[in-house]
Amino acid sequence: VPTQPRVTINDVAAAARVSATTVSHVLSGKRPVAEETAKRVRKVIDRLGYTPGYAAQTLQSGSTRVIGLLVPDLTNHFFAALAMGVENAAHGLGYSVVLGNTCFDAERERRYLQMIRQRAIDGLVYAAGTPPAPDELRRFASGFPVALADEEIPGLPAITAVADHRAGGELAGRHLRLLGHRRALVIGGPPELRSSHDRLAGFRAEFDGEIVLHIGDYQEASGYAAVMAQSERDAGDPYTAIFALNDLMALGAMRALRAVRRRVPDDVSIVGFDDIPTAALMNPSLTTVRQPAYLIGSTVAEELVRSLTGEVAHTPTRHVLAVELVERESTSPTGRDRSVTPNR
Amino acid sequence: VPTQPRVTINDVAAAARVSATTVSHVLSGKRPVAEETAKRVRKVIDRLGYTPGYAAQTLQSGSTRVIGLLVPDLTNHFFAALAMGVENAAHGLGYSVVLGNTCFDAERERRYLQMIRQRAIDGLVYAAGTPPAPDELRRFASGFPVALADEEIPGLPAITAVADHRAGGELAGRHLRLLGHRRALVIGGPPELRSSHDRLAGFRAEFDGEIVLHIGDYQEASGYAAVMAQSERDAGDPYTAIFALNDLMALGAMRALRAVRRRVPDDVSIVGFDDIPTAALMNPSLTTVRQPAYLIGSTVAEELVRSLTGEVAHTPTRHVLAVELVERESTSPTGRDRSVTPNR
DNA sequence: TTGTAAGCGTTATCAG
DNA sequence: CTGATAACGCTTACAA
């Protein structure tokens, strides 16, 4: 594909018989231009199809109008939705988003921080998911605008947006309590994650029955394992409810419940967290706490960009966004047990 | 966040008591530099933490080393995986990826084409999914490097990577035939999509039994609707297999089958297409044809970037990538009908 | 209301 | 082996 010689501001100026300065001002409006002149210039601009070159503007202004987005795994629905939020918000404000997929890999993260040093981006939305925030990032964040999405990094005050994990735990706990459940199996997440901790604390605050805690790792298999392990241990008086700290583990738990012949929701109710697309498609569909992934992304991106443009000061605001309980088929009141109905 | 004054090549030159030219060449290696000088320069570079500024390099070279990626919906797993492929491949070759989410919206597409005009990106990976390719894109593609992922646009010869939809259809057809099925319900996709057409043609070529075709729209609800509609029509001799042209419709079909009390796979086997994550998590899990989404993205991005760097000529190569049948629980041989076993 | 000229940071050309 | 100098395309003092 041959690249035809670029139309520059000087071409326009020459054709309109004005100076480049005037053309620039017609476009930017930063100083008055006689209407007649302006009209002539605009006509030429249209005719020649002139658009200010990105590189020159960048060099001149020192701003690329690009922000970076670091996510660990785009195929994770949560991060995909978050990325859409970031992209939409940024685009609405005239900024582009360059994508960085870290794959939870520190080496790749470093390559992105490199871009920062090159001044190739104006700011960074960091949602890299792994708990041990690289020291490097922390160093960078002082001296470079970083915003945290779904993330809290100790010692790094920055624009932040997180879901209200605690309220989500409360929602789940209250829901199960109101359904009459008194014994719950809780499948936890990695303890070092603040989100895990908050969800659990919220649940404990609202669910006043007995709680058995199994630690999982947010993967499907660990949900399965938790139920199986507990199943071996249980002696006749098992839990009637499960709160899994994310949907993937909840699905694993459901699979295990099928294996041990306990029905959902008849024998055991189950609540997840996240609301991944699969949750709605399962049979039975999964009651879960929905995270506002898109909103987390758009909130943080919008605030970051506004701070970049100077519209607002770059102060480390922390947004805590509401979560929502989505009631589906996997939860039901205790005491309703179809195994005692006609077909037996 | 205060932005400290940038370290420029001149700072380095001054500190190392050489010219900027020499510093540049120490970095680029484009002409020999005395080892002693080079060492001194490198030391200063390290000490000052100098990195060539992105904007100036861009202005000088005319290349941004950025490619654009246009997808309709990142929360769609297929496009997320594709995006990861693009990002990884591009990054490996020193290119960044700016993300564009069109939301199937022509207006948003236009804004991205605008970036092209501004020379803000060097090339474009287009995977916008909607059948009516905008004329605008077609105009742009002549004169700007565009590569098509999972897309074929008539009259636009370009680097292209698509899944082998036809082979996928064949795989599904053969699988069901070998299981002994003789009557199949096929839930089609939008007829104007070449992928729909190819999948169907492949299926027809391998499945030699009777086929009833319902047209769907790739949404879950249309899979449900297809089964329901056919269910009303069926008089005692229904199909024993379903081929849904994507997984979402397959899931809708499974939901409908539950509603009409036909068991999967005992009464009806079902094959989907895509292999979305939910497919493996369902109960029963879904047999499906897996699309190499990541590979589509990485293939097309790698070739695009290589053509940009001049490593290969920018010729409209078309890559057809292999698909794979993933056998799970939703398909079984005909004739095995548990309703004729003990419990009746 | 408009123009001139300097400068943003880098690399290429040409000269030594 | 190295250095001046120009050029990339734009914005913005400063001047008229």
Side-chain angles (χ1 to χ4, degrees), chain A residues 1-4 6 49 51-56 58-59 64 73-75 77 80-81 83-84 87-88 91-92 96-101 103 108 111-112 114-115 117-120 143-145 220 248 251 258 277-278 281-283 314, chain B residues 1-6 49 51-56 58-59 64 73-75 77 80-81 83-84 87-88 91-92 96-101 103 108 111-112 114-115 117-120 143-145 220 248 251 258 278 281-283 314:
Chain A
V1 183
T3 159
Q4 57 248 48
R6 179 159 183 62
T51 321
Y54 167 79
T58 297
L59 180 58
T64 55
D73 176 12
L74 258 194
T75 60
H77 182 266
M84 277 188 58
E87 203 277 330
N88 270 12
H91 233 256
S96 298
V97 176
V98 339
L99 185 59
N101 212 101
C103 307
R108 297 183 61 102
R111 282 233 299 280
Y112 280 100
Q114 179 71 9
M115 296 185 50
R117 221 180 324 223
Q118 288 182 193
R119 291 271 201 284
F144 190 82
E220 203 260 2
L248 228 40
L251 298 179
R258 283 196 296 274
T278 305
L281 295 167
M282 286 301 289
N283 176 40
H314 184 79
Chain B
V1 183
T3 160
Q4 57 248 44
R6 178 160 184 62
T51 320
Y54 168 79
T58 297
L59 180 58
T64 55
D73 176 13
L74 259 194
T75 60
H77 182 266
M84 277 188 58
E87 203 277 332
N88 270 12
H91 233 255
S96 299
V97 176
V98 339
L99 184 60
N101 211 100
C103 307
R108 298 183 60 103
R111 284 235 296 281
Y112 280 99
Q114 178 72 9
M115 296 185 50
R117 220 180 323 222
Q118 288 183 193
R119 290 270 200 284
F144 190 82
E220 203 258 4
L248 228 38
L251 298 179
R258 283 196 296 273
T278 306
L281 296 168
M282 286 301 287
N283 176 40
H314 184 79

Side-chain angles (χ1 to χ4, degrees), chain B residues 14-320:
Chain B
R17 300 177 328 142
V18 294
S19 73
T21 308
T22 298
V23 177
S24 177
H25 285 111
V26 167
L27 251 19
S28 73
K30 289 194 181 174
R31 87 181 184 190
V33 175
E35 189 44 49
E36 198 185 351
T37 318
K39 202 168 291 175
R40 181 156 35 98
V41 170
R42 273 192 286 265
K43 195 167 291 178
V44 174
I45 286 176
D46 280 355
R47 181 158 58 78
L48 268 45
Y50 167 73
T51 320
Y54 168 79
Q57 277 187 328
T58 297
L59 180 58
Q60 163 68 28
S61 67
S63 155
T64 55
R65 277 161 305 157
V66 172
I67 61 175
L69 168 63
L70 240 48
V71 292
D73 176 13
L74 259 194
T75 60
N76 178 324
H77 182 266
F78 176 82
F79 291 113
L82 189 149
M84 277 188 58
V86 168
E87 203 277 332
N88 270 12
H91 233 255
L93 296 167
Y95 273 64
S96 299
V97 176
V98 339
L99 184 60
N101 211 100
T102 61
C103 307
F104 298 102
D105 174 9
E107 170 53 37
R108 298 183 60 103
E109 267 197 50
R110 217 162 295 135
R111 284 235 296 281
Y112 280 99
L113 298 180
Q114 178 72 9
M115 296 185 50
I116 295 175
R117 220 180 323 222
Q118 288 183 193
R119 290 270 200 284
I121 59 176
D122 290 354
L124 179 68
V125 173
Y126 185 86
T130 28
D135 276 345
E136 258 177 304
L137 178 71
R138 211 177 283 119
R139 278 210 313 280
F140 262 102
S142 63
F144 190 82
V146 173
L148 269 22
D150 183 47
E151 190 99 15
E152 316 240 16
I153 298 184
L156 198 170
I159 292 167
T160 305
V162 291
D164 194 338
H165 299 289
R166 181 177 167 102
E170 288 172 6
L171 245 27
R174 187 175 322 136
H175 180 59
L176 291 176
R177 171 165 57 76
L178 292 177
L179 289 174
H181 295 277
R182 308 294 309 158
R183 299 199 61 198
L185 170 63
V186 173
I187 309 178
E192 67 276 18
L193 254 45
R194 166 122 185 228
S195 59
S196 292
H197 178 265
D198 288 356
R199 290 173 194 181
L200 185 56
F203 186 81
R204 282 216 157 95
E206 280 287 339
F207 187 83
D208 52 357
E210 200 176 318
I211 291 176
V212 184
L213 176 65
H214 277 251
I215 298 295
D217 61 2
Y218 278 170
Q219 297 301 307
E220 203 258 4
S222 74
Y224 183 89
V227 166
M228 286 316 210
Q230 188 58 25
S231 166
E232 286 179 9
R233 203 164 309 161
D234 271 338
D237 183 24
Y239 54 88
T240 65
I242 295 180
F243 177 40
L245 259 58
N246 79 352
D247 285 349
L248 228 38
M249 296 194 299
L251 298 179
M254 284 176 65
R255 184 162 60 87
L257 290 170
R258 283 196 296 273
V260 300
R261 297 255 131 71
R262 299 190 69 192
R263 292 159 308 168
V264 177
D266 308 80
D267 300 326
V268 22
S269 287
I270 176 161
V271 178
F273 209 110
D274 280 353
D275 196 24
I276 62 178
T278 306
L281 296 168
M282 286 301 287
N283 176 40
S285 57
L286 181 66
T287 295
T288 189
V289 178
R290 177 181 298 161
Q291 288 211 70
Y294 180 95
L295 195 60
I296 291 177
S298 65
T299 301
V300 88
E302 172 157 354
E303 185 141 340
L304 176 66
V305 170
R306 286 199 190 290
S307 85
L308 256 27
T309 59
E311 261 183 77
V312 304
H314 184 79
T315 46
T317 324
R318 182 161 176 274
H319 297 268
V320 178

Side-chain angles (χ1 to χ4, degrees), chain A residues 168-193:
Chain A
E170 289 171 5
L171 246 26
R174 187 176 321 135
H175 180 60
L176 290 175
R177 171 165 56 77
L178 293 178
L179 289 173
H181 295 276
R182 307 294 311 158
R183 299 199 60 198
L185 170 63
V186 173
I187 309 178
E192 68 276 17
L193 254 45

Side-chain angles (χ1 to χ4, degrees), chain A residues 20-260:
Chain A
T21 308
T22 299
V23 177
S24 176
H25 285 110
V26 167
L27 251 18
S28 72
K30 289 194 181 173
R31 88 180 184 191
V33 174
E35 189 45 46
E36 198 184 352
T37 318
K39 201 169 291 177
R40 182 155 37 95
V41 170
R42 274 192 285 267
K43 194 168 291 179
V44 174
I45 286 176
D46 280 354
R47 181 159 59 77
L48 267 45
Y50 168 72
T51 321
Y54 167 79
Q57 275 187 328
T58 297
L59 180 58
Q60 160 70 28
S61 67
S63 154
T64 55
R65 276 161 307 157
V66 173
I67 61 175
L69 168 64
L70 240 48
V71 292
D73 176 12
L74 258 194
T75 60
N76 179 322
H77 182 266
F78 176 82
F79 291 112
L82 189 149
M84 277 188 58
V86 168
E87 203 277 330
N88 270 12
H91 233 256
L93 296 166
Y95 273 63
S96 298
V97 176
V98 339
L99 185 59
N101 212 101
T102 63
C103 307
F104 298 101
D105 174 9
E107 170 53 38
R108 297 183 61 102
E109 268 198 49
R110 217 163 294 137
R111 282 233 299 280
Y112 280 100
L113 298 181
Q114 179 71 9
M115 296 185 50
I116 294 174
R117 221 180 324 223
Q118 288 182 193
R119 291 271 201 284
I121 59 177
D122 290 353
L124 179 67
V125 173
Y126 185 87
T130 29
D135 277 344
E136 259 177 303
L137 177 72
R138 212 177 281 118
R139 277 210 315 280
F140 263 101
S142 63
F144 190 82
V146 172
L148 269 22
D150 182 47
E151 189 99 16
E152 316 242 15
I153 298 185
L156 201 169
I159 292 167
T160 305
V162 292
D164 194 339
H165 299 290
R166 183 179 166 100
E170 289 171 5
L171 246 26
R174 187 176 321 135
H175 180 60
L176 290 175
R177 171 165 56 77
L178 293 178
L179 289 173
H181 295 276
R182 307 294 311 158
R183 299 199 60 198
L185 170 63
V186 173
I187 309 178
E192 68 276 17
L193 254 45
R194 165 123 187 228
S195 59
S196 292
H197 178 266
D198 289 356
R199 290 173 194 179
L200 186 55
F203 187 80
R204 282 217 157 96
E206 280 287 340
F207 187 82
D208 53 356
E210 201 178 317
I211 291 176
V212 184
L213 176 66
H214 277 250
I215 298 295
D217 61 1
Y218 278 170
Q219 298 301 306
E220 203 260 2
S222 74
Y224 183 88
V227 167
M228 286 316 210
Q230 189 58 25
S231 166
E232 285 178 9
R233 203 165 308 163
D234 270 337
D237 184 25
Y239 54 87
T240 64
I242 295 179
F243 176 42
L245 260 58
N246 81 351
D247 285 349
L248 228 40
M249 295 195 299
L251 298 179
M254 283 176 66
R255 184 163 60 87
L257 290 170
R258 283 196 296 274
V260 300

